[in-house]
Amino acid sequence: MAGEYRLLLANARQLVLVCGHGEQYLLREGMARLDVLHDASLVVGLDGYIKAVGPADVIHRHFAGATFESKIDCTGKCVLPGLVDAHTHPVWAGDRVHEFAMKLAGASYMEIHQAGGGIHFTVEHTRKATEEELFTTFKHRLERMRRAGSTLVECKSGYGLNLETELKMLRVIERARQSMDIGISSTYCGAHSVPKGKTATEATDDIINNHLPKLKELQQSGEIHVNNIDVFCEKGVFDLDSTRRILQAGKDTGLQINFHGDELHPMKSAELGAELGAQAISHLEEISDEGIAAMAKARCAAVLLPTTAYMLRLKQPQARRMLDEGVIVALGSDFNPNAYCFSMPMVMHLACVNMKMSMNEALAAATINAAYALGKSDTHGSIEIGKQGDLVIINSSRWEHLIYQFGGHQTLIDYVIIKGKVVYKNESCGITSSY
Ligand SMILES: N=CN[C@@H](CCC(=O)O)C(=O)O
Ligand SMILES: [Zn+2]
Protein backbone atom coordinates (compact mmCIF):
# COMPACT_ATOMS: atom_id res chain seq x y z
CA MET A 1 0.00 0.00 0.00
CA ALA A 2 1.42 3.39 -0.99
CA GLY A 3 0.94 6.54 1.08
CA GLU A 4 2.53 8.37 3.96
CA TYR A 5 2.32 7.28 7.57
CA ARG A 6 3.67 8.57 10.86
CA LEU A 7 5.22 5.49 12.40
CA LEU A 8 6.14 1.88 11.78
CA LEU A 9 6.99 -0.36 14.73
CA ALA A 10 8.62 -3.37 13.12
CA ASN A 11 9.13 -6.97 14.24
CA ALA A 12 8.15 -6.81 17.91
CA ARG A 13 8.80 -10.06 19.71
CA GLN A 14 5.52 -9.56 21.60
CA LEU A 15 2.85 -7.03 20.76
CA VAL A 16 0.35 -6.92 23.62
CA LEU A 17 -3.01 -5.83 22.23
CA VAL A 18 -4.76 -6.33 25.60
CA CYS A 19 -8.01 -6.78 23.63
CA GLY A 20 -8.91 -6.57 19.97
CA HIS A 21 -12.64 -6.54 19.43
CA GLY A 22 -13.80 -3.13 20.56
CA GLU A 23 -14.33 -4.22 24.16
CA GLN A 24 -15.10 -1.29 26.48
CA TYR A 25 -13.67 -3.15 29.47
CA LEU A 26 -12.55 -6.63 30.44
CA LEU A 27 -13.89 -8.93 33.14
CA ARG A 28 -12.78 -12.27 34.59
CA GLU A 29 -11.55 -14.54 31.72
CA GLY A 30 -11.04 -11.54 29.44
CA MET A 31 -8.55 -10.11 31.93
CA ALA A 32 -6.96 -13.45 32.65
CA ARG A 33 -6.15 -14.11 28.99
CA LEU A 34 -4.93 -11.04 27.13
CA ASP A 35 -4.48 -10.86 23.36
CA VAL A 36 -0.78 -11.00 22.50
CA LEU A 37 0.74 -11.21 19.00
CA HIS A 38 4.23 -12.60 18.36
CA ASP A 39 6.64 -11.26 15.73
CA ALA A 40 4.27 -8.46 14.89
CA SER A 41 4.34 -4.95 13.43
CA LEU A 42 2.15 -1.89 13.74
CA VAL A 43 1.44 1.24 11.69
CA VAL A 44 0.26 4.64 12.98
CA GLY A 45 -1.17 7.14 10.50
CA LEU A 46 -0.44 10.85 10.14
CA ASP A 47 -3.53 11.56 12.26
CA GLY A 48 -1.99 9.68 15.21
CA TYR A 49 -4.37 6.70 15.03
CA ILE A 50 -3.50 3.04 14.54
CA LYS A 51 -3.98 1.94 10.92
CA ALA A 52 -2.72 -1.62 10.98
CA VAL A 53 -1.43 -4.24 13.38
CA GLY A 54 -0.60 -7.86 12.65
CA PRO A 55 2.06 -10.43 11.75
CA ALA A 56 5.26 -8.65 10.68
CA ASP A 57 5.48 -10.33 7.25
CA VAL A 58 1.88 -9.44 6.39
CA ILE A 59 2.27 -5.80 7.47
CA HIS A 60 5.57 -5.42 5.60
CA ARG A 61 4.13 -6.85 2.42
CA HIS A 62 1.04 -4.70 2.69
CA PHE A 63 2.94 -1.46 3.34
CA ALA A 64 5.84 -2.20 0.97
CA GLY A 65 5.23 0.98 -1.05
CA ALA A 66 4.52 3.25 1.93
CA THR A 67 6.69 5.93 3.50
CA PHE A 68 6.98 6.51 7.24
CA GLU A 69 8.06 9.60 9.18
CA SER A 70 9.72 7.24 11.69
CA LYS A 71 10.51 3.55 11.89
CA ILE A 72 11.55 1.73 15.06
CA ASP A 73 13.05 -1.71 14.94
CA CYS A 74 11.45 -3.65 17.80
CA THR A 75 13.34 -6.89 17.25
CA GLY A 76 13.56 -8.74 20.57
CA LYS A 77 11.36 -6.14 22.28
CA CYS A 78 7.77 -5.85 23.45
CA VAL A 79 5.15 -3.28 22.55
CA LEU A 80 2.30 -2.54 24.95
CA PRO A 81 -0.53 0.01 24.95
CA GLY A 82 0.27 3.26 26.77
CA LEU A 83 -0.61 2.89 30.45
CA VAL A 84 -3.63 4.72 31.81
CA ASP A 85 -3.41 6.22 35.30
CA ALA A 86 -7.01 6.49 36.50
CA HIS A 87 -6.47 8.56 39.67
CA THR A 88 -3.97 11.32 40.44
CA HIS A 89 -3.74 14.60 42.39
CA PRO A 90 -0.80 16.13 40.51
CA VAL A 91 -1.31 19.93 40.92
CA TRP A 92 -0.11 21.22 44.26
CA ALA A 93 2.54 23.07 46.23
CA GLY A 94 3.90 22.01 49.60
CA ASP A 95 5.19 18.46 49.90
CA ARG A 96 4.50 16.44 53.04
CA VAL A 97 7.70 14.52 53.62
CA HIS A 98 7.52 15.56 57.30
CA GLU A 99 4.14 13.85 57.56
CA PHE A 100 5.57 10.68 56.06
CA ALA A 101 7.93 10.62 59.05
CA MET A 102 4.95 11.15 61.41
CA LYS A 103 3.05 8.29 59.80
CA LEU A 104 6.06 6.02 60.04
CA ALA A 105 6.15 6.89 63.75
CA GLY A 106 2.52 5.76 64.10
CA ALA A 107 0.22 8.72 63.32
CA SER A 108 -2.80 7.81 61.19
CA TYR A 109 -3.92 9.68 58.05
CA MET A 110 -7.03 11.01 59.79
CA GLU A 111 -5.19 12.06 62.97
CA ILE A 112 -2.93 14.26 60.85
CA HIS A 113 -5.89 15.55 58.81
CA GLN A 114 -7.94 16.41 61.90
CA ALA A 115 -4.98 18.22 63.45
CA GLY A 116 -4.99 20.57 60.43
CA GLY A 117 -2.31 18.83 58.39
CA GLY A 118 -2.70 16.48 55.40
CA ILE A 119 -4.91 17.99 52.69
CA HIS A 120 -5.19 21.22 54.75
CA PHE A 121 -1.42 21.67 54.70
CA THR A 122 -1.31 21.29 50.92
CA VAL A 123 -4.31 23.61 50.49
CA GLU A 124 -2.51 26.36 52.39
CA HIS A 125 0.53 26.11 50.12
CA THR A 126 -1.44 25.66 46.91
CA ARG A 127 -3.54 28.75 47.59
CA LYS A 128 -0.36 30.81 47.94
CA ALA A 129 1.35 29.42 44.81
CA THR A 130 1.14 31.25 41.49
CA GLU A 131 -0.37 29.63 38.43
CA GLU A 132 3.08 29.62 36.85
CA GLU A 133 4.65 27.81 39.83
CA LEU A 134 1.89 25.22 39.84
CA PHE A 135 2.21 24.68 36.10
CA THR A 136 5.99 24.21 36.26
CA THR A 137 5.82 21.47 38.89
CA PHE A 138 2.78 19.86 37.27
CA LYS A 139 4.54 19.70 33.90
CA HIS A 140 7.55 18.06 35.51
CA ARG A 141 5.31 15.50 37.24
CA LEU A 142 3.50 14.68 33.99
CA GLU A 143 6.87 14.14 32.31
CA ARG A 144 7.86 11.72 35.07
CA MET A 145 4.56 9.85 34.66
CA ARG A 146 5.13 9.64 30.92
CA ARG A 147 8.64 8.28 31.42
CA ALA A 148 7.06 5.51 33.48
CA GLY A 149 4.74 4.65 30.57
CA SER A 150 1.56 6.62 31.33
CA THR A 151 0.01 8.18 28.25
CA LEU A 152 -3.44 9.06 29.65
CA VAL A 153 -3.74 10.46 33.17
CA GLU A 154 -6.71 11.54 35.27
CA CYS A 155 -5.82 14.83 37.00
CA LYS A 156 -7.81 16.28 39.92
CA SER A 157 -8.11 19.72 41.39
CA GLY A 158 -8.95 19.70 45.11
CA TYR A 159 -6.22 21.60 46.95
CA GLY A 160 -8.02 24.93 46.65
CA LEU A 161 -11.44 24.20 48.13
CA ASN A 162 -12.36 27.86 47.48
CA LEU A 163 -13.58 28.78 44.00
CA GLU A 164 -10.57 30.96 43.16
CA THR A 165 -7.95 28.28 43.79
CA GLU A 166 -10.00 25.41 42.37
CA LEU A 167 -10.28 27.39 39.12
CA LYS A 168 -6.56 28.17 39.24
CA MET A 169 -5.85 24.43 39.42
CA LEU A 170 -8.27 23.61 36.62
CA ARG A 171 -6.67 26.29 34.41
CA VAL A 172 -3.26 24.74 35.10
CA ILE A 173 -4.62 21.33 34.05
CA GLU A 174 -6.15 22.91 30.94
CA ARG A 175 -2.83 24.50 30.00
CA ALA A 176 -1.10 21.13 30.17
CA ARG A 177 -3.92 19.54 28.19
CA GLN A 178 -3.38 22.04 25.40
CA SER A 179 0.40 22.31 25.41
CA MET A 180 1.70 18.84 26.24
CA ASP A 181 1.69 15.54 24.39
CA ILE A 182 -0.19 13.53 26.98
CA GLY A 183 -3.82 12.55 27.41
CA ILE A 184 -5.55 14.22 30.35
CA SER A 185 -8.95 13.59 31.92
CA SER A 186 -9.68 16.59 34.13
CA THR A 187 -11.57 16.27 37.42
CA TYR A 188 -13.14 18.96 39.57
CA CYS A 189 -12.56 17.88 43.18
CA GLY A 190 -13.64 20.97 45.15
CA ALA A 191 -15.15 18.60 47.74
CA HIS A 192 -11.79 17.03 48.59
CA SER A 193 -12.01 18.32 52.16
CA VAL A 194 -14.16 20.67 54.22
CA PRO A 195 -12.33 24.01 54.16
CA LYS A 196 -11.33 25.50 57.50
CA GLY A 197 -14.05 27.86 58.82
CA LYS A 198 -16.93 26.06 57.07
CA THR A 199 -19.20 23.19 58.00
CA ALA A 200 -19.67 20.35 55.52
CA THR A 201 -23.17 21.63 54.76
CA GLU A 202 -21.89 25.15 54.09
CA ALA A 203 -19.15 23.78 51.86
CA THR A 204 -21.70 21.64 50.00
CA ASP A 205 -23.97 24.65 49.45
CA ASP A 206 -21.02 26.74 48.24
CA ILE A 207 -20.04 24.08 45.72
CA ILE A 208 -23.56 23.64 44.40
CA ASN A 209 -24.52 27.32 44.34
CA ASN A 210 -21.21 28.94 43.36
CA HIS A 211 -18.55 26.53 42.10
CA LEU A 212 -20.59 24.39 39.73
CA PRO A 213 -22.43 27.27 37.99
CA LYS A 214 -19.09 29.05 37.37
CA LEU A 215 -17.58 25.82 36.10
CA LYS A 216 -20.48 25.37 33.71
CA GLU A 217 -20.01 28.90 32.40
CA LEU A 218 -16.28 28.35 31.79
CA GLN A 219 -16.94 24.98 30.17
CA GLN A 220 -19.46 26.57 27.82
CA SER A 221 -17.10 29.37 26.83
CA GLY A 222 -14.41 26.74 26.18
CA GLU A 223 -11.96 28.24 28.71
CA ILE A 224 -11.61 24.96 30.54
CA HIS A 225 -12.59 21.38 29.84
CA VAL A 226 -13.59 19.33 32.86
CA ASN A 227 -14.62 15.69 32.49
CA ASN A 228 -15.38 14.39 35.98
CA ILE A 229 -16.73 15.41 39.39
CA ASP A 230 -15.20 14.02 42.58
CA VAL A 231 -16.00 14.10 46.32
CA PHE A 232 -14.04 12.61 49.25
CA CYS A 233 -16.92 10.65 50.81
CA GLU A 234 -15.52 9.83 54.23
CA LYS A 235 -16.33 10.04 57.95
CA GLY A 236 -15.28 13.51 59.10
CA VAL A 237 -15.16 14.83 55.51
CA PHE A 238 -18.31 14.65 53.31
CA ASP A 239 -21.04 12.28 54.51
CA LEU A 240 -23.26 10.28 52.20
CA ASP A 241 -25.96 12.91 51.99
CA SER A 242 -23.62 15.82 51.08
CA THR A 243 -21.80 13.52 48.64
CA ARG A 244 -25.09 12.65 46.95
CA ARG A 245 -26.06 16.32 46.62
CA ILE A 246 -22.71 17.36 45.11
CA LEU A 247 -22.41 14.42 42.73
CA GLN A 248 -25.98 14.79 41.49
CA ALA A 249 -25.47 18.52 40.90
CA GLY A 250 -22.23 17.76 39.02
CA LYS A 251 -23.95 15.13 36.92
CA ASP A 252 -26.69 17.65 36.12
CA THR A 253 -24.04 19.98 34.68
CA GLY A 254 -22.80 17.18 32.44
CA LEU A 255 -19.84 15.80 34.43
CA GLN A 256 -19.06 12.10 34.83
CA ILE A 257 -19.19 10.93 38.44
CA ASN A 258 -15.84 9.57 39.61
CA PHE A 259 -15.28 9.85 43.37
CA HIS A 260 -13.39 8.71 46.49
CA GLY A 261 -15.39 6.23 48.56
CA ASP A 262 -15.26 3.62 51.30
CA GLU A 263 -11.57 4.28 51.94
CA LEU A 264 -11.08 4.54 55.71
CA HIS A 265 -14.61 3.70 56.91
CA PRO A 266 -17.51 1.81 55.36
CA MET A 267 -19.74 4.63 54.04
CA LYS A 268 -21.99 2.83 51.53
CA SER A 269 -20.26 4.94 48.87
CA ALA A 270 -20.29 2.03 46.41
CA GLU A 271 -24.05 1.64 46.74
CA LEU A 272 -24.49 5.41 46.26
CA GLY A 273 -22.24 5.50 43.21
CA ALA A 274 -24.07 2.61 41.59
CA GLU A 275 -27.40 4.33 42.24
CA LEU A 276 -26.23 7.66 40.76
CA GLY A 277 -24.71 6.03 37.67
CA ALA A 278 -21.09 6.80 38.61
CA GLN A 279 -18.52 5.92 35.98
CA ALA A 280 -16.01 5.00 38.69
CA ILE A 281 -15.33 4.97 42.42
CA SER A 282 -11.81 4.95 43.88
CA HIS A 283 -10.23 3.31 46.94
CA LEU A 284 -12.98 0.96 48.25
CA GLU A 285 -10.84 -0.65 50.95
CA GLU A 286 -13.99 -0.72 53.15
CA ILE A 287 -16.58 -1.66 50.51
CA SER A 288 -19.54 -3.80 51.65
CA ASP A 289 -20.75 -7.03 50.00
CA GLU A 290 -23.82 -5.17 48.77
CA GLY A 291 -21.57 -2.45 47.36
CA ILE A 292 -19.59 -4.98 45.33
CA ALA A 293 -22.78 -6.48 43.89
CA ALA A 294 -24.20 -3.03 43.12
CA MET A 295 -21.03 -1.87 41.32
CA ALA A 296 -20.89 -5.05 39.22
CA LYS A 297 -24.52 -4.60 38.19
CA ALA A 298 -24.14 -0.88 37.42
CA ARG A 299 -20.92 -1.39 35.41
CA CYS A 300 -19.28 1.17 37.67
CA ALA A 301 -15.48 0.79 37.62
CA ALA A 302 -13.55 0.23 40.86
CA VAL A 303 -10.31 2.23 40.71
CA LEU A 304 -8.03 0.48 43.18
CA LEU A 305 -5.01 2.35 44.53
CA PRO A 306 -2.35 -0.03 45.84
CA THR A 307 0.08 2.75 46.80
CA THR A 308 -2.34 4.26 49.34
CA ALA A 309 -3.12 0.98 51.07
CA TYR A 310 0.63 0.28 51.12
CA MET A 311 1.78 3.65 52.45
CA LEU A 312 -1.01 4.06 54.99
CA ARG A 313 -0.86 0.38 55.95
CA LEU A 314 -4.58 0.04 55.32
CA LYS A 315 -6.33 -3.21 54.74
CA GLN A 316 -6.04 -4.10 51.07
CA PRO A 317 -9.06 -3.62 48.80
CA GLN A 318 -10.70 -6.96 48.02
CA ALA A 319 -9.56 -7.09 44.42
CA ARG A 320 -10.04 -10.86 44.07
CA ARG A 321 -13.57 -10.71 45.40
CA MET A 322 -14.45 -7.81 43.09
CA LEU A 323 -12.94 -9.58 40.07
CA ASP A 324 -14.81 -12.79 40.86
CA GLU A 325 -18.09 -10.93 41.23
CA GLY A 326 -17.74 -9.17 37.87
CA VAL A 327 -16.69 -5.67 38.93
CA ILE A 328 -14.67 -3.71 36.35
CA VAL A 329 -11.36 -3.35 38.20
CA ALA A 330 -9.01 -0.51 37.21
CA LEU A 331 -5.81 0.86 38.76
CA GLY A 332 -4.42 4.31 39.54
CA SER A 333 -1.22 5.64 41.09
CA ASP A 334 -3.07 8.10 43.40
CA PHE A 335 -0.04 10.36 43.00
CA ASN A 336 -0.46 13.06 45.69
CA PRO A 337 1.60 14.50 48.59
CA ASN A 338 0.56 11.52 50.72
CA ALA A 339 1.32 8.80 48.15
CA TYR A 340 4.26 10.06 46.14
CA CYS A 341 4.39 7.55 43.30
CA PHE A 342 4.36 8.30 39.57
CA SER A 343 4.83 4.79 38.34
CA MET A 344 2.04 2.59 37.02
CA PRO A 345 4.48 -0.35 36.60
CA MET A 346 5.10 -0.19 40.36
CA VAL A 347 1.36 0.13 40.97
CA MET A 348 0.78 -3.03 38.91
CA HIS A 349 3.48 -4.85 40.87
CA LEU A 350 1.86 -3.85 44.19
CA ALA A 351 -1.56 -4.90 42.86
CA CYS A 352 -0.14 -8.33 42.05
CA VAL A 353 1.72 -8.87 45.33
CA ASN A 354 -0.60 -7.16 47.82
CA MET A 355 -4.00 -7.49 46.14
CA LYS A 356 -3.34 -10.90 44.60
CA MET A 357 -4.03 -9.94 41.00
CA SER A 358 -2.29 -11.80 38.18
CA MET A 359 0.03 -9.86 35.87
CA ASN A 360 -2.51 -10.14 33.03
CA GLU A 361 -5.25 -8.76 35.29
CA ALA A 362 -3.03 -5.91 36.46
CA LEU A 363 -2.18 -4.90 32.89
CA ALA A 364 -5.85 -4.97 31.83
CA ALA A 365 -6.68 -2.88 34.93
CA ALA A 366 -3.97 -0.34 34.02
CA THR A 367 -5.01 -0.07 30.36
CA ILE A 368 -8.49 -0.85 29.00
CA ASN A 369 -10.30 -0.82 32.36
CA ALA A 370 -8.59 2.39 33.50
CA ALA A 371 -9.60 3.94 30.16
CA TYR A 372 -13.18 2.79 30.84
CA ALA A 373 -13.07 4.44 34.29
CA LEU A 374 -12.40 7.72 32.47
CA GLY A 375 -14.99 7.08 29.75
CA LYS A 376 -12.24 6.80 27.15
CA SER A 377 -12.08 3.17 26.13
CA ASP A 378 -13.23 4.04 22.59
CA THR A 379 -9.87 5.66 21.91
CA HIS A 380 -7.47 4.37 24.61
CA GLY A 381 -6.44 1.31 26.58
CA SER A 382 -5.66 -1.27 23.89
CA ILE A 383 -3.83 -1.63 20.59
CA GLU A 384 -6.60 -1.75 18.00
CA ILE A 385 -7.12 -0.25 14.58
CA GLY A 386 -8.81 3.14 14.98
CA LYS A 387 -7.47 3.80 18.49
CA GLN A 388 -4.85 6.40 19.36
CA GLY A 389 -1.28 5.29 18.69
CA ASP A 390 -0.27 5.45 22.38
CA LEU A 391 2.41 2.84 22.94
CA VAL A 392 5.22 1.72 25.21
CA ILE A 393 8.24 -0.24 23.93
CA ILE A 394 10.22 -2.22 26.48
CA ASN A 395 13.60 -3.73 25.98
CA SER A 396 12.71 -7.25 26.98
CA SER A 397 11.42 -10.28 25.15
CA ARG A 398 8.55 -10.86 27.60
CA TRP A 399 6.19 -8.02 28.48
CA GLU A 400 5.74 -9.23 32.06
CA HIS A 401 9.16 -7.82 32.92
CA LEU A 402 7.46 -4.42 33.15
CA ILE A 403 5.64 -5.65 36.28
CA TYR A 404 8.14 -8.20 37.55
CA GLN A 405 11.09 -5.78 37.78
CA PHE A 406 9.91 -3.65 40.74
CA GLY A 407 11.22 -0.15 40.07
CA GLY A 408 12.95 -1.41 36.91
CA HIS A 409 10.81 0.51 34.43
CA GLN A 410 13.35 3.32 34.14
CA THR A 411 15.78 0.97 32.44
CA LEU A 412 13.20 -1.25 30.77
CA ILE A 413 11.20 1.38 28.93
CA ASP A 414 12.92 2.34 25.67
CA TYR A 415 10.20 4.53 24.16
CA VAL A 416 6.92 6.11 25.11
CA ILE A 417 4.81 7.10 22.12
CA ILE A 418 1.68 9.25 22.01
CA LYS A 419 -0.38 9.53 18.82
CA GLY A 420 2.51 7.96 16.96
CA LYS A 421 5.03 10.57 18.19
CA VAL A 422 7.97 9.61 20.39
CA VAL A 423 7.52 11.64 23.60
CA TYR A 424 10.23 9.83 25.55
CA LYS A 425 13.31 7.96 24.41
CA ASN A 426 15.53 6.28 26.97
CA GLU A 427 19.17 7.44 26.89
CA SER A 428 20.35 3.88 27.46
CA CYS A 429 18.04 2.53 24.74
CA GLY A 430 19.47 -0.69 23.29
CA ILE A 431 20.96 -2.13 26.46
CA THR A 432 19.15 -5.34 27.26
CA SER A 433 17.23 -5.30 30.54
CA SER A 434 16.11 -8.87 30.99
CA TYR A 435 18.83 -9.79 33.41
N1 LIG B 1 -8.25 10.25 50.18
C1 LIG B 1 -8.34 11.38 49.69
N2 LIG B 1 -7.52 11.90 48.77
C2 LIG B 1 -6.22 11.47 48.45
C3 LIG B 1 -5.19 11.93 49.41
C4 LIG B 1 -4.98 13.37 49.25
C5 LIG B 1 -3.99 13.93 50.19
O1 LIG B 1 -3.77 13.37 51.28
O2 LIG B 1 -3.45 14.99 49.85
C6 LIG B 1 -6.15 9.99 48.14
O3 LIG B 1 -6.86 9.60 47.23
O4 LIG B 1 -5.39 9.23 48.73
ZN1 LIG C 1 -7.33 10.53 45.62
Side-chain angles (χ1 to χ4, degrees):
M1 186 183 281
E4 209 184 323
Y5 296 85
R6 185 169 285 172
L7 177 70
L8 171 71
L9 299 188
N11 301 313
R13 176 72 178 268
Q14 290 187 330
L15 204 151
V16 187
L17 305 178
V18 171
C19 51
H21 300 95
E23 295 91 334
Q24 295 291 299
Y25 52 80
L26 293 177
L27 298 173
R28 302 186 182 99
E29 299 77 31
M31 289 179 96
R33 154 179 50 72
L34 301 181
D35 287 340
V36 181
L37 303 180
H38 296 266
D39 302 317
S41 295
L42 174 154
V43 173
V44 181
L46 292 174
D47 59 0
Y49 289 81
I50 297 170
K51 300 300 171 197
V53 54
D57 52 344
V58 174
I59 297 285
H60 298 164
R61 221 177 306 125
H62 198 72
F63 288 86
T67 55
F68 298 92
E69 286 180 354
S70 317
K71 291 183 191 178
I72 299 177
D73 177 14
C74 297
T75 306
K77 301 184 182 187
C78 295
V79 178
L80 298 96
L83 303 175
V84 180
D85 188 341
H87 184 132
T88 81
H89 304 251
V91 183
W92 47 266
D95 73 63
R96 308 214 300 260
V97 66
H98 58 290
E99 289 184 1
F100 184 51
M102 287 159 70
K103 282 174 274 199
L104 294 179
S108 76
Y109 181 83
M110 265 306 166
E111 278 162 5
I112 295 174
H113 181 83
Q114 272 149 7
I119 294 174
H120 299 295
F121 178 91
T122 308
V123 166
E124 225 172 279
H125 288 263
T126 306
R127 284 183 180 174
K128 283 189 209 140
T130 65
E131 214 160 304
E132 203 52 40
E133 284 163 353
L134 290 176
F135 180 72
T136 304
T137 47
F138 177 42
K139 182 169 182 275
H140 188 62
R141 289 169 191 155
L142 286 175
E143 283 163 356
R144 287 180 72 176
M145 289 176 187
R146 225 167 39 181
R147 289 206 291 273
S150 294
T151 53
L152 170 63
V153 179
E154 186 264 3
C155 299
K156 299 176 196 295
S157 69
Y159 292 115
L161 309 182
N162 60 24
L163 181 58
E164 183 195 340
T165 314
E166 286 299 313
L167 292 181
K168 179 168 73 176
M169 296 181 75
L170 291 171
R171 280 196 301 272
V172 165
I173 295 171
E174 180 66 23
R175 185 168 158 197
R177 214 179 60 80
Q178 293 197 8
S179 63
M180 290 182 70
D181 286 319
I182 186 162
I184 289 181
S185 175
S186 168
T187 302
Y188 162 74
C189 187
H192 195 199
S193 183
V194 177
K196 284 184 182 162
K198 277 199 166 81
T199 64
T201 307
E202 287 166 349
T204 302
D205 291 341
D206 184 33
I207 287 169
I208 295 172
N209 300 328
N210 301 315
H211 291 211
L212 290 176
K214 185 68 188 170
L215 218 65
K216 190 174 180 184
E217 184 192 315
L218 296 174
Q219 291 256 75
Q220 280 170 349
S221 68
E223 275 176 67
I224 53 174
H225 295 87
V226 182
N227 306 95
N228 317 291
I229 179 145
D230 193 348
V231 174
F232 186 11
C233 179
E234 181 57 55
K235 195 169 158 195
V237 192
F238 289 94
D239 66 11
L240 206 64
D241 191 48
S242 304
T243 303
R244 175 196 293 279
R245 289 182 57 211
I246 297 168
L247 293 179
Q248 187 59 56
K251 187 177 178 183
D252 293 342
T253 70
L255 300 173
Q256 287 185 137
I257 298 178
N258 185 329
F259 70 110
H260 292 69
D262 295 328
E263 177 185 357
L264 304 168
H265 298 90
M267 299 289 294
K268 297 206 178 299
S269 309
E271 290 87 331
L272 176 69
E275 181 198 325
L276 295 179
Q279 185 74 19
I281 309 173
S282 290
H283 284 293
L284 301 167
E285 286 82 354
E286 299 288 345
I287 193 171
S288 67
D289 293 350
E290 295 74 25
I292 293 179
M295 285 185 72
K297 188 157 176 247
R299 293 291 178 247
C300 172
V303 179
L304 305 184
L305 306 170
T307 61
T308 325
Y310 163 73
M311 295 203 200
L312 296 179
R313 298 176 175 139
L314 304 178
K315 91 178 189 207
Q316 296 291 329
Q318 305 173 62
R320 280 264 55 90
R321 181 90 199 276
M322 292 185 202
L323 289 163
D324 292 347
E325 303 230 353
V327 176
I328 302 162
V329 172
L331 289 170
S333 70
D334 196 17
F335 172 77
N336 75 72
N338 174 61
Y340 204 107
C341 174
F342 294 110
S343 161
M344 287 300 289
M346 290 176 87
V347 165
M348 290 190 283
H349 182 106
L350 289 173
C352 291
V353 175
N354 289 340
M355 291 168 20
K356 302 187 167 47
M357 290 171 73
S358 69
M359 287 191 279
N360 282 6
E361 287 169 339
L363 185 66
T367 52
I368 190 68
N369 286 3
Y372 174 83
L374 305 179
K376 289 194 183 280
S377 43
D378 279 345
T379 45
H380 293 75
S382 59
I383 298 180
E384 291 181 72
I385 291 174
K387 284 202 177 184
Q388 259 188 222
D390 291 4
L391 306 151
V392 176
I393 303 176
I394 67 166
N395 191 9
S396 171
S397 55
R398 282 190 61 170
W399 73 264
E400 291 96 329
H401 276 267
L402 189 60
I403 299 181
Y404 161 64
Q405 294 190 23
F406 193 47
H409 55 275
Q410 294 190 344
T411 317
L412 268 173
I413 295 179
D414 268 1
Y415 294 90
V416 179
I417 293 164
I418 295 183
K419 287 187 113 180
K421 262 170 60 181
V422 173
V423 295
Y424 167 68
K425 181 175 183 219
N426 198 329
E427 301 280 292
S428 55
C429 188
I431 300 167
T432 186
S433 308
S434 298
Y435 44 77

